[in-house]
PDB file of all heavy atoms in Angstrom:
ATOM      1  N   ASP A 694      62.527  79.692 104.922  1.00 86.00           N
ATOM      2  CA  ASP A 694      61.173  80.203 105.190  1.00 86.00           C
ATOM      3  C   ASP A 694      60.748  81.284 104.207  1.00 86.00           C
ATOM      4  O   ASP A 694      59.783  82.015 104.480  1.00 86.00           O
ATOM      5  CB  ASP A 694      61.110  80.772 106.615  1.00 86.00           C
ATOM      6  CG  ASP A 694      61.366  79.700 107.664  1.00 86.00           C
ATOM      7  OD1 ASP A 694      61.056  78.527 107.384  1.00 86.00           O
ATOM      8  OD2 ASP A 694      61.874  80.039 108.745  1.00 86.00           O
ATOM      9  N   TRP A 695      61.474  81.416 103.078  1.00 82.00           N
ATOM     10  CA  TRP A 695      61.203  82.525 102.158  1.00 82.00           C
ATOM     11  C   TRP A 695      59.762  82.504 101.650  1.00 82.00           C
ATOM     12  O   TRP A 695      59.084  83.527 101.636  1.00 82.00           O
ATOM     13  CB  TRP A 695      62.182  82.479 100.992  1.00 82.00           C
ATOM     14  CG  TRP A 695      61.960  83.603 100.007  1.00 82.00           C
ATOM     15  CD1 TRP A 695      61.428  83.511  98.760  1.00 82.00           C
ATOM     16  CD2 TRP A 695      62.272  84.979 100.212  1.00 82.00           C
ATOM     17  NE1 TRP A 695      61.385  84.749  98.162  1.00 82.00           N
ATOM     18  CE2 TRP A 695      61.889  85.671  99.038  1.00 82.00           C
ATOM     19  CE3 TRP A 695      62.815  85.703 101.265  1.00 82.00           C
ATOM     20  CZ2 TRP A 695      62.051  87.038  98.893  1.00 82.00           C
ATOM     21  CZ3 TRP A 695      62.982  87.072 101.129  1.00 82.00           C
ATOM     22  CH2 TRP A 695      62.596  87.725  99.949  1.00 82.00           C
ATOM     23  N   ASP A 696      59.280  81.337 101.238  1.00 85.00           N
ATOM     24  CA  ASP A 696      57.909  81.251 100.709  1.00 85.00           C
ATOM     25  C   ASP A 696      56.883  81.636 101.761  1.00 85.00           C
ATOM     26  O   ASP A 696      55.888  82.321 101.468  1.00 85.00           O
ATOM     27  CB  ASP A 696      57.629  79.839 100.188  1.00 85.00           C
ATOM     28  CG  ASP A 696      58.451  79.513  98.958  1.00 85.00           C
ATOM     29  OD1 ASP A 696      58.840  80.461  98.244  1.00 85.00           O
ATOM     30  OD2 ASP A 696      58.707  78.324  98.698  1.00 85.00           O
ATOM     31  N   ARG A 697      57.110  81.205 102.987  1.00 88.00           N
ATOM     32  CA  ARG A 697      56.190  81.556 104.072  1.00 88.00           C
ATOM     33  C   ARG A 697      56.211  83.048 104.351  1.00 88.00           C
ATOM     34  O   ARG A 697      55.168  83.665 104.600  1.00 88.00           O
ATOM     35  CB  ARG A 697      56.555  80.790 105.338  1.00 88.00           C
ATOM     36  CG  ARG A 697      56.316  79.289 105.257  1.00 88.00           C
ATOM     37  CD  ARG A 697      56.764  78.593 106.521  1.00 88.00           C
ATOM     38  NE  ARG A 697      56.123  79.177 107.695  1.00 88.00           N
ATOM     39  CZ  ARG A 697      56.525  78.939 108.950  1.00 88.00           C
ATOM     40  NH1 ARG A 697      57.572  78.144 109.169  1.00 88.00           N
ATOM     41  NH2 ARG A 697      55.897  79.480 109.964  1.00 88.00           N
ATOM     42  N   ILE A 698      57.418  83.649 104.302  1.00 86.00           N
ATOM     43  CA  ILE A 698      57.536  85.096 104.546  1.00 86.00           C
ATOM     44  C   ILE A 698      56.801  85.874 103.470  1.00 86.00           C
ATOM     45  O   ILE A 698      56.048  86.816 103.764  1.00 86.00           O
ATOM     46  CB  ILE A 698      59.032  85.498 104.593  1.00 86.00           C
ATOM     47  CG1 ILE A 698      59.717  84.872 105.805  1.00 86.00           C
ATOM     48  CG2 ILE A 698      59.172  87.018 104.629  1.00 86.00           C
ATOM     49  CD1 ILE A 698      61.214  85.046 105.817  1.00 86.00           C
ATOM     50  N   VAL A 699      57.000  85.477 102.208  1.00 83.00           N
ATOM     51  CA  VAL A 699      56.326  86.157 101.100  1.00 83.00           C
ATOM     52  C   VAL A 699      54.816  86.014 101.222  1.00 83.00           C
ATOM     53  O   VAL A 699      54.059  86.976 101.024  1.00 83.00           O
ATOM     54  CB  VAL A 699      56.825  85.606  99.754  1.00 83.00           C
ATOM     55  CG1 VAL A 699      55.985  86.152  98.607  1.00 83.00           C
ATOM     56  CG2 VAL A 699      58.291  85.956  99.546  1.00 83.00           C
ATOM     57  N   GLU A 700      54.365  84.814 101.574  1.00 85.00           N
ATOM     58  CA  GLU A 700      52.930  84.581 101.721  1.00 85.00           C
ATOM     59  C   GLU A 700      52.346  85.425 102.849  1.00 85.00           C
ATOM     60  O   GLU A 700      51.256  85.993 102.728  1.00 85.00           O
ATOM     61  CB  GLU A 700      52.687  83.101 101.989  1.00 85.00           C
ATOM     62  CG  GLU A 700      51.216  82.724 102.079  1.00 85.00           C
ATOM     63  CD  GLU A 700      51.020  81.241 102.339  1.00 85.00           C
ATOM     64  OE1 GLU A 700      52.027  80.499 102.328  1.00 85.00           O
ATOM     65  OE2 GLU A 700      49.865  80.834 102.546  1.00 85.00           O
ATOM     66  N   GLN A 701      53.103  85.530 103.943  1.00 85.00           N
ATOM     67  CA  GLN A 701      52.631  86.328 105.076  1.00 85.00           C
ATOM     68  C   GLN A 701      52.543  87.804 104.716  1.00 85.00           C
ATOM     69  O   GLN A 701      51.547  88.478 104.999  1.00 85.00           O
ATOM     70  CB  GLN A 701      53.578  86.139 106.265  1.00 85.00           C
ATOM     71  CG  GLN A 701      53.118  86.785 107.558  1.00 85.00           C
ATOM     72  CD  GLN A 701      51.953  86.054 108.191  1.00 85.00           C
ATOM     73  OE1 GLN A 701      51.861  84.840 108.106  1.00 85.00           O
ATOM     74  NE2 GLN A 701      51.045  86.794 108.802  1.00 85.00           N
ATOM     75  N   LEU A 702      53.593  88.320 104.086  1.00 84.00           N
ATOM     76  CA  LEU A 702      53.594  89.725 103.683  1.00 84.00           C
ATOM     77  C   LEU A 702      52.507  90.009 102.653  1.00 84.00           C
ATOM     78  O   LEU A 702      51.866  91.061 102.670  1.00 84.00           O
ATOM     79  CB  LEU A 702      54.966  90.108 103.130  1.00 84.00           C
ATOM     80  CG  LEU A 702      56.126  90.107 104.130  1.00 84.00           C
ATOM     81  CD1 LEU A 702      57.438  90.398 103.415  1.00 84.00           C
ATOM     82  CD2 LEU A 702      55.891  91.140 105.231  1.00 84.00           C
ATOM     83  N   ASP A 703      52.307  89.063 101.743  1.00 83.00           N
ATOM     84  CA  ASP A 703      51.263  89.232 100.729  1.00 83.00           C
ATOM     85  C   ASP A 703      49.886  89.297 101.381  1.00 83.00           C
ATOM     86  O   ASP A 703      48.995  90.015 100.915  1.00 83.00           O
ATOM     87  CB  ASP A 703      51.329  88.078  99.739  1.00 83.00           C
ATOM     88  CG  ASP A 703      50.376  88.264  98.580  1.00 83.00           C
ATOM     89  OD1 ASP A 703      50.619  89.142  97.742  1.00 83.00           O
ATOM     90  OD2 ASP A 703      49.357  87.531  98.515  1.00 83.00           O
ATOM     91  N   GLY A 704      49.698  88.551 102.469  1.00 84.00           N
ATOM     92  CA  GLY A 704      48.426  88.588 103.165  1.00 84.00           C
ATOM     93  C   GLY A 704      48.159  89.902 103.872  1.00 84.00           C
ATOM     94  O   GLY A 704      47.009  90.219 104.195  1.00 84.00           O
ATOM     95  N   TRP A 705      49.209  90.665 104.152  1.00 85.00           N
ATOM     96  CA  TRP A 705      49.049  91.962 104.823  1.00 85.00           C
ATOM     97  C   TRP A 705      48.756  93.100 103.852  1.00 85.00           C
ATOM     98  O   TRP A 705      48.459  94.218 104.275  1.00 85.00           O
ATOM     99  CB  TRP A 705      50.310  92.302 105.616  1.00 85.00           C
ATOM    100  CG  TRP A 705      50.548  91.400 106.779  1.00 85.00           C
ATOM    101  CD1 TRP A 705      49.647  90.568 107.386  1.00 85.00           C
ATOM    102  CD2 TRP A 705      51.781  91.226 107.487  1.00 85.00           C
ATOM    103  NE1 TRP A 705      50.229  89.889 108.424  1.00 85.00           N
ATOM    104  CE2 TRP A 705      51.541  90.276 108.521  1.00 85.00           C
ATOM    105  CE3 TRP A 705      53.051  91.772 107.356  1.00 85.00           C
ATOM    106  CZ2 TRP A 705      52.523  89.864 109.402  1.00 85.00           C
ATOM    107  CZ3 TRP A 705      54.040  91.372 108.244  1.00 85.00           C
ATOM    108  CH2 TRP A 705      53.777  90.428 109.254  1.00 85.00           C
ATOM    109  N   LEU A 706      48.896  92.854 102.550  1.00 84.00           N
ATOM    110  CA  LEU A 706      48.675  93.916 101.574  1.00 84.00           C
ATOM    111  C   LEU A 706      47.205  94.338 101.557  1.00 84.00           C
ATOM    112  O   LEU A 706      46.315  93.497 101.727  1.00 84.00           O
ATOM    113  CB  LEU A 706      49.084  93.453 100.173  1.00 84.00           C
ATOM    114  CG  LEU A 706      50.555  93.112  99.952  1.00 84.00           C
ATOM    115  CD1 LEU A 706      50.757  92.607  98.527  1.00 84.00           C
ATOM    116  CD2 LEU A 706      51.439  94.312 100.218  1.00 84.00           C
ATOM    117  N   PRO A 707      46.940  95.633 101.360  1.00 86.00           N
ATOM    118  CA  PRO A 707      45.546  96.082 101.253  1.00 86.00           C
ATOM    119  C   PRO A 707      44.853  95.387 100.088  1.00 86.00           C
ATOM    120  O   PRO A 707      45.378  95.373  98.972  1.00 86.00           O
ATOM    121  CB  PRO A 707      45.671  97.592 101.013  1.00 86.00           C
ATOM    122  CG  PRO A 707      47.060  97.942 101.396  1.00 86.00           C
ATOM    123  CD  PRO A 707      47.887  96.733 101.215  1.00 86.00           C
ATOM    124  N   ARG A 708      43.701  94.809 100.329  1.00 83.00           N
ATOM    125  CA  ARG A 708      43.024  94.042  99.292  1.00 83.00           C
ATOM    126  C   ARG A 708      42.678  94.905  98.089  1.00 83.00           C
ATOM    127  O   ARG A 708      42.698  94.444  96.956  1.00 83.00           O
ATOM    128  CB  ARG A 708      41.751  93.412  99.868  1.00 83.00           C
ATOM    129  CG  ARG A 708      42.025  92.382 100.938  1.00 83.00           C
ATOM    130  CD  ARG A 708      40.757  91.729 101.416  1.00 83.00           C
ATOM    131  NE  ARG A 708      41.037  90.727 102.439  1.00 83.00           N
ATOM    132  CZ  ARG A 708      40.095  89.994 103.028  1.00 83.00           C
ATOM    133  NH1 ARG A 708      38.824  90.171 102.696  1.00 83.00           N
ATOM    134  NH2 ARG A 708      40.424  89.101 103.931  1.00 83.00           N
ATOM    135  N   ARG A 709      42.376  96.153  98.359  1.00 84.00           N
ATOM    136  CA  ARG A 709      41.956  97.040  97.279  1.00 84.00           C
ATOM    137  C   ARG A 709      43.081  97.300  96.290  1.00 84.00           C
ATOM    138  O   ARG A 709      42.860  97.423  95.085  1.00 84.00           O
ATOM    139  CB  ARG A 709      41.457  98.355  97.881  1.00 84.00           C
ATOM    140  CG  ARG A 709      40.918  99.351  96.887  1.00 84.00           C
ATOM    141  CD  ARG A 709      40.410 100.561  97.626  1.00 84.00           C
ATOM    142  NE  ARG A 709      39.954 101.601  96.715  1.00 84.00           N
ATOM    143  CZ  ARG A 709      39.509 102.791  97.111  1.00 84.00           C
ATOM    144  NH1 ARG A 709      39.446 103.060  98.399  1.00 84.00           N
ATOM    145  NH2 ARG A 709      39.118 103.680  96.230  1.00 84.00           N
ATOM    146  N   ASN A 710      44.312  97.406  96.792  1.00 84.00           N
ATOM    147  CA  ASN A 710      45.457  97.735  95.938  1.00 84.00           C
ATOM    148  C   ASN A 710      46.437  96.574  95.782  1.00 84.00           C
ATOM    149  O   ASN A 710      47.570  96.779  95.359  1.00 84.00           O
ATOM    150  CB  ASN A 710      46.204  98.945  96.521  1.00 84.00           C
ATOM    151  CG  ASN A 710      45.304 100.130  96.756  1.00 84.00           C
ATOM    152  OD1 ASN A 710      44.998 100.459  97.894  1.00 84.00           O
ATOM    153  ND2 ASN A 710      44.863 100.769  95.683  1.00 84.00           N
ATOM    154  N   ARG A 711      46.004  95.374  96.131  1.00 85.00           N
ATOM    155  CA  ARG A 711      46.923  94.235  96.135  1.00 85.00           C
ATOM    156  C   ARG A 711      47.511  93.968  94.750  1.00 85.00           C
ATOM    157  O   ARG A 711      48.711  93.720  94.613  1.00 85.00           O
ATOM    158  CB  ARG A 711      46.197  92.995  96.655  1.00 85.00           C
ATOM    159  CG  ARG A 711      47.084  91.774  96.830  1.00 85.00           C
ATOM    160  CD  ARG A 711      46.335  90.665  97.531  1.00 85.00           C
ATOM    161  NE  ARG A 711      45.997  91.035  98.895  1.00 85.00           N
ATOM    162  CZ  ARG A 711      45.295  90.255  99.715  1.00 85.00           C
ATOM    163  NH1 ARG A 711      44.845  89.091  99.296  1.00 85.00           N
ATOM    164  NH2 ARG A 711      45.047  90.648 100.943  1.00 85.00           N
ATOM    165  N   ALA A 712      46.691  94.026  93.718  1.00 86.00           N
ATOM    166  CA  ALA A 712      47.171  93.720  92.359  1.00 86.00           C
ATOM    167  C   ALA A 712      48.223  94.733  91.909  1.00 86.00           C
ATOM    168  O   ALA A 712      49.251  94.353  91.331  1.00 86.00           O
ATOM    169  CB  ALA A 712      46.002  93.707  91.382  1.00 86.00           C
ATOM    170  N   GLU A 713      47.993  96.025  92.185  1.00 87.00           N
ATOM    171  CA  GLU A 713      48.956  97.051  91.776  1.00 87.00           C
ATOM    172  C   GLU A 713      50.266  96.916  92.540  1.00 87.00           C
ATOM    173  O   GLU A 713      51.347  97.061  91.963  1.00 87.00           O
ATOM    174  CB  GLU A 713      48.363  98.440  92.012  1.00 87.00           C
ATOM    175  CG  GLU A 713      47.220  98.789  91.070  1.00 87.00           C
ATOM    176  CD  GLU A 713      46.689 100.182  91.330  1.00 87.00           C
ATOM    177  OE1 GLU A 713      47.014 100.745  92.400  1.00 87.00           O
ATOM    178  OE2 GLU A 713      45.959 100.693  90.465  1.00 87.00           O
ATOM    179  N   ILE A 714      50.183  96.628  93.847  1.00 87.00           N
ATOM    180  CA  ILE A 714      51.400  96.475  94.647  1.00 87.00           C
ATOM    181  C   ILE A 714      52.199  95.265  94.167  1.00 87.00           C
ATOM    182  O   ILE A 714      53.428  95.322  94.029  1.00 87.00           O
ATOM    183  CB  ILE A 714      51.045  96.336  96.140  1.00 87.00           C
ATOM    184  CG1 ILE A 714      50.406  97.634  96.654  1.00 87.00           C
ATOM    185  CG2 ILE A 714      52.290  96.010  96.958  1.00 87.00           C
ATOM    186  CD1 ILE A 714      49.893  97.544  98.071  1.00 87.00           C
ATOM    187  N   ARG A 715      51.497  94.160  93.891  1.00 87.00           N
ATOM    188  CA  ARG A 715      52.190  92.975  93.371  1.00 87.00           C
ATOM    189  C   ARG A 715      52.871  93.282  92.035  1.00 87.00           C
ATOM    190  O   ARG A 715      53.999  92.841  91.781  1.00 87.00           O
ATOM    191  CB  ARG A 715      51.188  91.845  93.173  1.00 87.00           C
ATOM    192  CG  ARG A 715      50.725  91.167  94.463  1.00 87.00           C
ATOM    193  CD  ARG A 715      49.635  90.176  94.142  1.00 87.00           C
ATOM    194  NE  ARG A 715      49.199  89.440  95.320  1.00 87.00           N
ATOM    195  CZ  ARG A 715      48.120  88.660  95.338  1.00 87.00           C
ATOM    196  NH1 ARG A 715      47.392  88.523  94.236  1.00 87.00           N
ATOM    197  NH2 ARG A 715      47.778  88.022  96.436  1.00 87.00           N
ATOM    198  N   GLU A 716      52.188  94.034  91.193  1.00 89.00           N
ATOM    199  CA  GLU A 716      52.749  94.365  89.881  1.00 89.00           C
ATOM    200  C   GLU A 716      54.025  95.183  90.018  1.00 89.00           C
ATOM    201  O   GLU A 716      55.022  94.927  89.331  1.00 89.00           O
ATOM    202  CB  GLU A 716      51.710  95.138  89.069  1.00 89.00           C
ATOM    203  CG  GLU A 716      52.180  95.502  87.665  1.00 89.00           C
ATOM    204  CD  GLU A 716      51.158  96.327  86.909  1.00 89.00           C
ATOM    205  OE1 GLU A 716      50.031  96.486  87.425  1.00 89.00           O
ATOM    206  OE2 GLU A 716      51.498  96.810  85.818  1.00 89.00           O
ATOM    207  N   GLN A 717      54.017  96.171  90.930  1.00 90.00           N
ATOM    208  CA  GLN A 717      55.201  97.013  91.105  1.00 90.00           C
ATOM    209  C   GLN A 717      56.349  96.244  91.758  1.00 90.00           C
ATOM    210  O   GLN A 717      57.511  96.425  91.384  1.00 90.00           O
ATOM    211  CB  GLN A 717      54.852  98.250  91.946  1.00 90.00           C
ATOM    212  CG  GLN A 717      53.851  99.173  91.277  1.00 90.00           C
ATOM    213  CD  GLN A 717      54.223  99.473  89.844  1.00 90.00           C
ATOM    214  OE1 GLN A 717      55.330  99.924  89.553  1.00 90.00           O
ATOM    215  NE2 GLN A 717      53.293  99.222  88.920  1.00 90.00           N
ATOM    216  N   LEU A 718      56.028  95.375  92.713  1.00 88.00           N
ATOM    217  CA  LEU A 718      57.079  94.552  93.313  1.00 88.00           C
ATOM    218  C   LEU A 718      57.689  93.601  92.290  1.00 88.00           C
ATOM    219  O   LEU A 718      58.900  93.365  92.290  1.00 88.00           O
ATOM    220  CB  LEU A 718      56.511  93.762  94.496  1.00 88.00           C
ATOM    221  CG  LEU A 718      56.124  94.589  95.725  1.00 88.00           C
ATOM    222  CD1 LEU A 718      55.492  93.707  96.791  1.00 88.00           C
ATOM    223  CD2 LEU A 718      57.340  95.315  96.301  1.00 88.00           C
ATOM    224  N   SER A 719      56.846  93.061  91.416  1.00 89.00           N
ATOM    225  CA  SER A 719      57.353  92.196  90.348  1.00 89.00           C
ATOM    226  C   SER A 719      58.238  92.977  89.391  1.00 89.00           C
ATOM    227  O   SER A 719      59.288  92.471  88.934  1.00 89.00           O
ATOM    228  CB  SER A 719      56.177  91.577  89.598  1.00 89.00           C
ATOM    229  OG  SER A 719      56.621  90.825  88.493  1.00 89.00           O
ATOM    230  N   GLU A 720      57.857  94.228  89.100  1.00 90.00           N
ATOM    231  CA  GLU A 720      58.668  95.063  88.214  1.00 90.00           C
ATOM    232  C   GLU A 720      60.015  95.396  88.846  1.00 90.00           C
ATOM    233  O   GLU A 720      61.054  95.392  88.178  1.00 90.00           O
ATOM    234  CB  GLU A 720      57.899  96.349  87.900  1.00 90.00           C
ATOM    235  CG  GLU A 720      58.518  97.196  86.806  1.00 90.00           C
ATOM    236  CD  GLU A 720      58.497  96.524  85.449  1.00 90.00           C
ATOM    237  OE1 GLU A 720      57.587  95.704  85.202  1.00 90.00           O
ATOM    238  OE2 GLU A 720      59.402  96.807  84.641  1.00 90.00           O
ATOM    239  N   ILE A 721      60.008  95.673  90.149  1.00 90.00           N
ATOM    240  CA  ILE A 721      61.266  95.933  90.857  1.00 90.00           C
ATOM    241  C   ILE A 721      62.148  94.684  90.836  1.00 90.00           C
ATOM    242  O   ILE A 721      63.368  94.764  90.631  1.00 90.00           O
ATOM    243  CB  ILE A 721      60.980  96.375  92.307  1.00 90.00           C
ATOM    244  CG1 ILE A 721      60.354  97.773  92.312  1.00 90.00           C
ATOM    245  CG2 ILE A 721      62.257  96.374  93.136  1.00 90.00           C
ATOM    246  CD1 ILE A 721      59.899  98.229  93.681  1.00 90.00           C
ATOM    247  N   ASP A 722      61.535  93.516  91.036  1.00 89.00           N
ATOM    248  CA  ASP A 722      62.287  92.260  91.003  1.00 89.00           C
ATOM    249  C   ASP A 722      62.938  92.048  89.641  1.00 89.00           C
ATOM    250  O   ASP A 722      64.116  91.675  89.552  1.00 89.00           O
ATOM    251  CB  ASP A 722      61.343  91.103  91.337  1.00 89.00           C
ATOM    252  CG  ASP A 722      62.067  89.768  91.335  1.00 89.00           C
ATOM    253  OD1 ASP A 722      62.977  89.578  92.156  1.00 89.00           O
ATOM    254  OD2 ASP A 722      61.732  88.914  90.495  1.00 89.00           O
ATOM    255  N   LYS A 723      62.195  92.295  88.569  1.00 90.00           N
ATOM    256  CA  LYS A 723      62.745  92.155  87.224  1.00 90.00           C
ATOM    257  C   LYS A 723      63.878  93.153  86.989  1.00 90.00           C
ATOM    258  O   LYS A 723      64.901  92.818  86.378  1.00 90.00           O
ATOM    259  CB  LYS A 723      61.652  92.369  86.184  1.00 90.00           C
ATOM    260  CG  LYS A 723      60.598  91.275  86.144  1.00 90.00           C
ATOM    261  CD  LYS A 723      59.520  91.600  85.130  1.00 90.00           C
ATOM    262  CE  LYS A 723      58.414  90.551  85.137  1.00 90.00           C
ATOM    263  NZ  LYS A 723      57.316  90.904  84.196  1.00 90.00           N
ATOM    264  N   THR A 724      63.701  94.383  87.473  1.00 89.00           N
ATOM    265  CA  THR A 724      64.725  95.411  87.285  1.00 89.00           C
ATOM    266  C   THR A 724      66.016  95.040  87.999  1.00 89.00           C
ATOM    267  O   THR A 724      67.117  95.186  87.453  1.00 89.00           O
ATOM    268  CB  THR A 724      64.219  96.766  87.796  1.00 89.00           C
ATOM    269  OG1 THR A 724      63.018  97.103  87.101  1.00 89.00           O
ATOM    270  CG2 THR A 724      65.252  97.859  87.575  1.00 89.00           C
ATOM    271  N   LEU A 725      65.894  94.547  89.235  1.00 89.00           N
ATOM    272  CA  LEU A 725      67.087  94.149  89.984  1.00 89.00           C
ATOM    273  C   LEU A 725      67.765  92.943  89.337  1.00 89.00           C
ATOM    274  O   LEU A 725      68.993  92.841  89.348  1.00 89.00           O
ATOM    275  CB  LEU A 725      66.709  93.836  91.429  1.00 89.00           C
ATOM    276  CG  LEU A 725      66.213  95.032  92.259  1.00 89.00           C
ATOM    277  CD1 LEU A 725      65.873  94.590  93.674  1.00 89.00           C
ATOM    278  CD2 LEU A 725      67.255  96.145  92.283  1.00 89.00           C
ATOM    279  N   ALA A 726      66.959  92.028  88.774  1.00 90.00           N
ATOM    280  CA  ALA A 726      67.547  90.892  88.066  1.00 90.00           C
ATOM    281  C   ALA A 726      68.329  91.361  86.846  1.00 90.00           C
ATOM    282  O   ALA A 726      69.425  90.854  86.552  1.00 90.00           O
ATOM    283  CB  ALA A 726      66.440  89.908  87.655  1.00 90.00           C
TER     284      ALA A 726
END
Side-chain angles (χ1 to χ4, degrees):
D694 297 331
W695 180 252
D696 292 335
R697 292 177 55 193
I698 294 172
V699 171
E700 183 180 354
Q701 187 72 34
L702 293 176
D703 186 70
W705 293 343
L706 297 177
R708 295 184 179 180
R709 183 177 176 183
N710 306 108
R711 186 172 294 178
E713 290 181 345
I714 295 174
R715 285 174 177 170
E716 182 183 352
Q717 296 312 306
L718 291 176
S719 175
E720 190 66 29
I721 290 174
D722 181 63
K723 291 177 183 177
T724 302
L725 294 180

